[in-house]
Amino acid sequence: MSAGHSAGLTVIVLAAGGGTRMKSKTMKVLHPIAGRTMIEHVLAAAREMEPDRIVAVVGHQREQVSEHIRELGPDVVLAVQDEQLGTGHAVRVAMEAVGDTAGTVVVAYGDTPLLEGESLRAFAAEHEAAERAVSVLSGVVDNPFGYGRVLRNHEGDVEAIVEEKDATPAEREVCEINSGILAFDAEFLRSALPRIGNDNAKGEYYLTDTIGIAREDGLTVGAHTIEDVMQTEGVNDRAQLARLGAELNRRIVTRWMHDGVTVMDPATTWIDADVELSPDVTILPGTQLLGTTVVAEDAVIGPDTTLKDCEVGAGARVVRTHGELAVIGGEATVGPWSYLRPGTNLGAGGKIGAFVETKNATIGDGAKVPHLSYVGDADIGEGTNIGAGTIFANYDGVAKHHTKIGRHARTASNNTFVAPVEIGDGAATGAGTVVRRDVPPGALAVSSGPQRNLEGWAQAKRAGTRQARAAEEALGAGRDGEQDVAES
């Protein structure tokens, strides 16, 4: 047996713990941060190492966690830890699941969402180059209280990891801490796991005991110091989740600014990990870009805007808007106070204006829905203008129905389109019209009759009210004016 250069790479992600301090019905590693679950972040970092295999150890709420992991990658090997008997036991379960593997084994944790693949690659590379049996991913911090200390000998090799409660006063002065992330020679790891004991206060099998076993075997143990220690920080409660979420968002926003995106107020801007932005995008204060939102160059988003899984074209302007699963074309304008529901597709140069709600609606190039309207289950042709206060009545109480409005149509204010109905190209509607039948191209549709004025109605029906008195005074003033004209 030797701790030689690896012939392959296995990454084990531990995700079996209950996370009781989260006080949640949701498993800890499934809590979201920057648009991904915590374990999704860790698995993404693991994939950047291009390993031969990834093993996830599940335990508490295994059905929930296993289903999520399968959705992320069916190639991930699932290992079940029925009883949570410590990290050494969890890794033993993982190694049994993959069988007779060789090379390097890296053990990470599913609750470290800031962990980056580049850091893991550097860690594994140093471990292999030094031909160690065990390597510890360590960090140097100003205040190491509460962490296990990494103890080195005069040659710089790691002799032990001592926990805070077991450390001597001199050992507590050591500022190099153990992250818990370890790399092993697979052959050594298989031989060491059965030798880990559980003679401790918790009766658990600790993976860090492999360091002492390697030293006893005369093998090399070392540590790779990561400069960005926060990458290794885990989440135990919701306060830590919020703190790491804010830090991860700060890193994401900073990266986009370095890539040519203008962010006016980073403190009030939130961008998920899978969002894609082009250079010269401008993001104004109070903006959230979530999910897989994509924004093209020269677009301006915000202020006070939330877009989730949306696509925004070049040069578009979106202000004070909430949108989800919507497409906004190039040079289009949206808002303020617009609500774009799933299935909205606004064409190039189009407009969705103030207090407009859209759902499952295609609005053509240059078409406009300027204000105070609901557009659901509709197609609106290019160049068409929809009047203020228009309702697309798409639901009859049982089923949804579709409305189609042609190109370059002009609909007036306060219209209701009772679906299913079709308005032809170049057609028009009168103010207050309720459209129940198709309108041919070029036709004008009106549904109200001639206006009638019932004179004296206020005086007769509202006698003694301010309304009646105002009418009487106005009529009196009118009669006096007529008399003055006649006398002159």
Side-chain angles (χ1 to χ4, degrees), residues 34-155:
R36 299 176 180 173
T37 61
M38 285 195 280
I39 195 168
E40 187 175 357
H41 283 285
V42 177
L43 290 174
R47 289 190 190 283
E48 287 186 36
M49 301 177 72
E50 299 182 350
D52 293 314
R53 64 198 64 80
I54 299 175
V55 186
V57 181
V58 298
H60 285 286
Q61 296 175 285
R62 70 189 64 165
E63 295 83 5
Q64 186 183 88
V65 180
S66 297
E67 180 180 359
H68 177 63
I69 292 174
R70 288 192 188 99
E71 291 173 354
L72 297 175
D75 57 323
V76 176
V77 178
L78 293 172
V80 177
Q81 187 185 22
D82 290 313
E83 293 182 90
Q84 279 64 62
L85 301 178
T87 52
H89 178 255
V91 172
R92 187 169 184 175
V93 168
M95 293 297 286
E96 289 171 355
V98 298
D100 189 21
T101 184
T104 296
V105 177
V106 173
V107 179
Y109 295 83
D111 63 351
T112 55
L114 269 61
L115 190 61
E116 297 178 4
E118 183 178 353
S119 300
L120 287 178
R121 282 199 303 268
F123 175 45
E126 182 181 305
H127 165 80
E128 294 174 358
E131 298 187 340
R132 298 171 183 151
V134 187
S135 291
V136 180
L137 186 61
S138 67
V140 177
V141 297
D142 294 331
N143 180 12
F145 179 79
Y147 291 95
R149 309 303 202 276
V150 176
L151 304 182
R152 297 177 183 256
N153 59 23
H154 295 298
E155 287 75 35

Side-chain angles (χ1 to χ4, degrees), residues 13 28-29 31-45 48 108-117 181 230-237 240-249 251-252 273:
V13 179
K28 178 172 74 170
V29 298
H31 279 262
I33 178 170
R36 299 176 180 173
T37 61
M38 285 195 280
I39 195 168
E40 187 175 357
H41 283 285
V42 177
L43 290 174
E48 287 186 36
Y109 295 83
D111 63 351
T112 55
L114 269 61
L115 190 61
E116 297 178 4
I181 298 172
M230 204 168 188
Q231 286 188 37
T232 68
E233 188 166 339
V235 172
N236 291 309
D237 57 35
Q240 288 178 314
L241 181 68
R243 186 167 66 85
L244 290 191
E247 173 60 20
L248 181 53
N249 183 71
R251 296 178 181 211
I252 292 171

Side-chain angles (χ1 to χ4, degrees), residues 207-430:
L207 190 61
T208 50
D209 287 353
T210 55
I211 293 173
I213 295 172
R215 298 292 296 178
E216 291 172 3
D217 291 351
L219 299 173
T220 303
V221 180
H224 174 78
T225 304
I226 183 173
E227 292 185 9
D228 184 9
V229 184
M230 204 168 188
Q231 286 188 37
T232 68
E233 188 166 339
V235 172
N236 291 309
D237 57 35
R238 304 207 193 209
Q240 288 178 314
L241 181 68
R243 186 167 66 85
L244 290 191
E247 173 60 20
L248 181 53
N249 183 71
R250 185 193 68 78
R251 296 178 181 211
I252 292 171
V253 171
T254 299
R255 173 172 62 84
W256 283 118
M257 289 192 291
H258 288 160
D259 287 346
V261 173
T262 295
V263 180
M264 183 173 290
D265 185 11
T268 62
T269 300
W270 290 80
I271 303 175
D272 277 353
D274 293 317
V275 168
E276 292 293 333
L277 306 175
S278 296
D280 291 320
V281 164
T282 298
I283 302 175
L284 301 182
T287 293
Q288 300 177 76
L289 301 178
L290 309 177
T292 56
T293 293
V294 178
V295 184
E297 62 183 4
D298 299 321
V300 180
I301 312 296
D304 308 321
T305 293
T306 298
L307 300 179
K308 182 178 181 182
D309 300 325
C310 291
E311 180 181 333
V312 182
R317 179 73 169 88
V318 184
V319 58
R320 290 191 171 90
T321 292
H322 185 99
E324 183 172 356
L325 289 169
V327 176
I328 299 167
E331 304 294 332
T333 60
V334 179
W337 318 119
S338 300
Y339 181 22
L340 278 54
R341 293 168 58 189
T344 296
N345 193 324
L346 176 63
K351 178 177 182 178
I352 294 175
F355 301 101
V356 173
E357 177 181 347
T358 59
K359 187 270 296 182
N360 192 27
T362 298
I363 301 168
D365 294 350
K368 299 178 180 180
V369 188
H371 22 235
L372 302 166
S373 298
Y374 170 71
V375 182
D377 297 295
D379 286 327
I380 299 174
E382 66 174 300
T384 285
N385 186 87
I386 303 298
T390 294
I391 302 298
F392 285 67
N394 56 333
Y395 184 50
D396 63 7
V398 177
K400 298 288 182 69
H401 300 281
H402 202 81
T403 295
K404 181 178 180 181
I405 299 183
R407 299 178 304 111
H408 302 289
R410 294 291 181 268
T411 72
S413 300
N414 199 29
N415 279 192
T416 299
F417 298 106
V418 182
V421 70
E422 181 172 346
I423 313 298
D425 293 349
T429 59

Side-chain angles (χ1 to χ4, degrees), residues 455-468:
E455 296 190 13
W457 179 88
Q459 300 92 314
K461 300 297 184 182
R462 298 289 186 268
T465 65
R466 293 180 180 178
Q467 178 185 1

